[in-house]
């Protein structure tokens, strides 16, 4: 920048101008400030998001600096992140750093395979389903139970499952209760209604039944017996189950009553609207009926027409099946 100096005296005499040159330079380095703590303890396995740093400079203003370096949250240890900035005039800020220490203070977790409470039939070999541990650092694995089950003695047995990870974190212990007992008879439960009214001629699909047993669990019972949908009447279906120890469930039954409530179907033979020449003999093509139970046949028209008198004549066709379902 050039500054000028001038002066003219009271008689109008002007002095020679003199000047000064001022050169403004930027030699000041920008300043870096870490956002957040300089030393951080971070839990292993959790995603790490850095808070970064900010820079400020007399000339350039301010902004954000992203860290140089990375943090592997799956590996325990110390990680150093660097923050650098050089302003538009080439002045470099002093590097600042952040140390992130990945630590493992989280307990591993234990998950039981199977139920926490088991009822087991005496005399049958018991195979424990064990448990599974999972840990951010160590991964996962299987835990064998501590304790035993004597299947020859009725009673309650407690099995325990424990695990400590490589960082010394102890999981919350889990346990399973195994009750050895002599089972009662299984129970059969119908799926659907015990008494069913079913329309003749339509396929019948039984909903079967379900058996439930303290030792064997549960499953499906298929009906014993058949339903003839082409024959009106009542049909009895039976459901039985014997468990693995020979205990027999009480038989349950379902009654399916096949009824005919479907009207037969009439189909006119030929056109429904006919133009007939006067004076010519008229022979009607009649109609046919079909029915799930009765089968099929011919229906003769009700009504008549005078071939010598032009006009409109209506012929009717009616049929009632053997179960008194009417169609016309």
């Amino acid at each position: 920048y050039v500054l000028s100096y001038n002066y003219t005296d009271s008689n109008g005499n002007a002095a020679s101008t003199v000047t000064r040159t001022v050169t403004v330079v930027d030699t000041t380095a920008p300043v870096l400030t870490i956002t957040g703590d300089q030393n951080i303890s971070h839990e292993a396995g959790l995603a790490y998001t850095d808070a970064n740093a900010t820079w400020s400079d007399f000339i350039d203003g301010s902004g954000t600096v992203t860290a140089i370096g990375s943090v592997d949250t799956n590996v325990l240890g110390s990680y150093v992140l660097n923050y650098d900035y050089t302003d538009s005039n080439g002045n470099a800020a002093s590097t600042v750093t952040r140390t992130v220490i990945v630590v493992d203070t989280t307990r591993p977790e234990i998950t039981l395979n199977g139920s926490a409470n088991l009822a087991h039939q005496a005399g049958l070999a018991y195979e424990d389903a064990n448990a599974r541990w999972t840990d951010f650092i160590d991964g996962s694995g299987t835990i064998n139970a501590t304790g035993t089950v004597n299947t020859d003695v009725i009673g309650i047995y407690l099995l325990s499952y424990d695990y400590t990870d490589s960082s010394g974190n102890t999981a919350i212990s889990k346990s399973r209760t195994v009750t050895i007992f002599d089972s009662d008879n299984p129970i059969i439960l119908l799926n659907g209604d015990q008494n069913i009214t079913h329309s003749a001629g339509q396929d019948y699909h039984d909903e079967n039944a379900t058996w439930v047993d303290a030792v064997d669990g549960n499953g499906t019972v298929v009906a014993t017996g058949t339903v003839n949908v082409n024959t009106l009447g009542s049909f009895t279906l039976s459901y039985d189950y014997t468990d693995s120890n020979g205990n027999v469930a009480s038989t349950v039954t379902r009654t399916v009553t096949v009824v005919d409530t479907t009207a037969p179907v009439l189909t006119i033979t030929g056109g429904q609207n006919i133009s007939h020449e006067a004076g010519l003999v008229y022979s009607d093509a009649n109609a046919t009926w079909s029915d799930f139970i009765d089968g099929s046949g011919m229906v003769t028209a009700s009504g008549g027409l005078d071939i010598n008198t032009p006009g409109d004549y209506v012929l009717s066709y009616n049929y009632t099946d053997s179960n008194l379902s009417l169609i016309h």
Side-chain angles (χ1 to χ4, degrees):
Y1 299 86
V2 177
L3 304 178
S4 299
Y5 305 87
N6 297 285
Y7 181 73
T8 301
D9 66 15
S10 58
N11 292 303
N13 300 304
S16 296
T17 299
V18 293
T19 62
R20 174 181 287 126
T21 299
V22 180
T23 302
V24 178
V25 295
D26 178 16
T27 61
T28 303
V31 177
L32 284 174
T33 304
I34 280 185
T35 304
D37 296 333
Q38 191 168 13
N39 295 290
I40 295 175
S41 290
H42 184 78
E43 189 64 28
L46 301 179
Y48 174 76
T49 302
D50 193 63
N52 297 320
T54 60
W55 60 266
S56 61
D57 185 74
F58 286 127
I59 299 298
D60 295 354
S62 61
T64 299
V65 179
T66 302
I68 298 172
S70 62
V71 177
D72 187 345
T73 60
N74 295 313
V75 178
L76 303 183
S78 295
Y79 298 86
V80 177
L81 302 178
N82 295 318
Y83 307 86
D84 295 287
Y85 181 73
T86 300
D87 67 17
S88 59
N89 291 297
N91 300 303
S94 297
T95 297
V96 294
T97 62
R98 188 197 318 275
T99 301
V100 180
I101 302 173
V102 176
V103 297
D104 179 16
T105 63
T106 302
R107 292 176 183 266
E109 292 186 2
I110 295 175
T111 304
L112 284 179
N113 297 329
S115 175
N117 296 285
L118 291 178
H120 188 77
Q121 177 67 28
L124 298 179
Y126 174 75
E127 293 290 337
D128 192 61
N130 298 321
R132 189 167 185 82
W133 61 264
T134 58
D135 184 75
F136 282 131
I137 298 299
D138 296 355
S140 61
T142 298
I143 305 173
N144 294 322
T146 301
T148 59
V149 176
N150 188 345
T151 60
D152 294 325
V153 178
I154 293 174
I156 298 174
Y157 299 86
L158 184 66
L159 301 177
S160 298
Y161 306 86
D162 298 280
Y163 180 74
T164 300
D165 68 18
S166 58
S167 297
N169 301 304
T170 302
I172 296 173
S173 181
K174 292 290 182 72
S175 62
R176 189 195 321 275
T177 300
V178 181
T179 302
I180 303 299
F181 74 108
D182 187 10
S183 67
D184 294 328
N185 292 336
I187 297 173
I188 295 176
L189 303 172
L190 275 181
N191 297 328
D193 296 332
Q194 189 171 17
N195 295 289
I196 295 176
T197 300
H198 184 77
S199 185
Q202 297 183 11
D203 290 340
Y204 174 74
H205 297 286
D206 193 61
E207 295 185 65
N208 298 321
T210 300
W211 59 264
V212 180
D213 185 75
V215 173
D216 296 354
N218 58 69
T220 299
V221 181
V222 178
T224 301
T226 59
V227 177
N228 187 345
V229 297
N230 296 315
T231 302
L232 303 183
S234 294
F235 298 87
T236 301
L237 302 177
S238 299
Y239 306 85
D240 298 281
Y241 179 73
T242 301
D243 70 16
S244 59
N245 292 300
N247 300 303
V248 180
S250 297
T251 299
V252 296
T253 62
R254 189 196 320 274
T255 300
V256 181
T257 304
V258 177
V259 297
D260 182 15
T261 59
T262 303
V265 176
L266 281 176
T267 304
I268 288 180
T269 305
Q272 192 170 11
N273 297 291
I274 296 175
S275 294
H276 184 75
E277 189 65 30
L280 299 180
V281 174
Y282 175 75
S283 295
D284 191 60
N286 298 320
T288 58
W289 60 266
S290 62
D291 183 74
F292 283 131
I293 299 298
D294 295 355
S296 62
M298 184 74 70
V299 179
T300 303
S302 298
L305 58 104
D306 184 351
I307 60 174
N308 296 313
T309 302
D312 292 332
Y313 298 87
V314 177
L315 302 178
S316 298
Y317 306 87
N318 298 284
Y319 179 74
T320 302
D321 68 15
S322 58
N323 292 293
L324 302 182
S325 298
L326 174 64
I327 189 68
H328 63 274

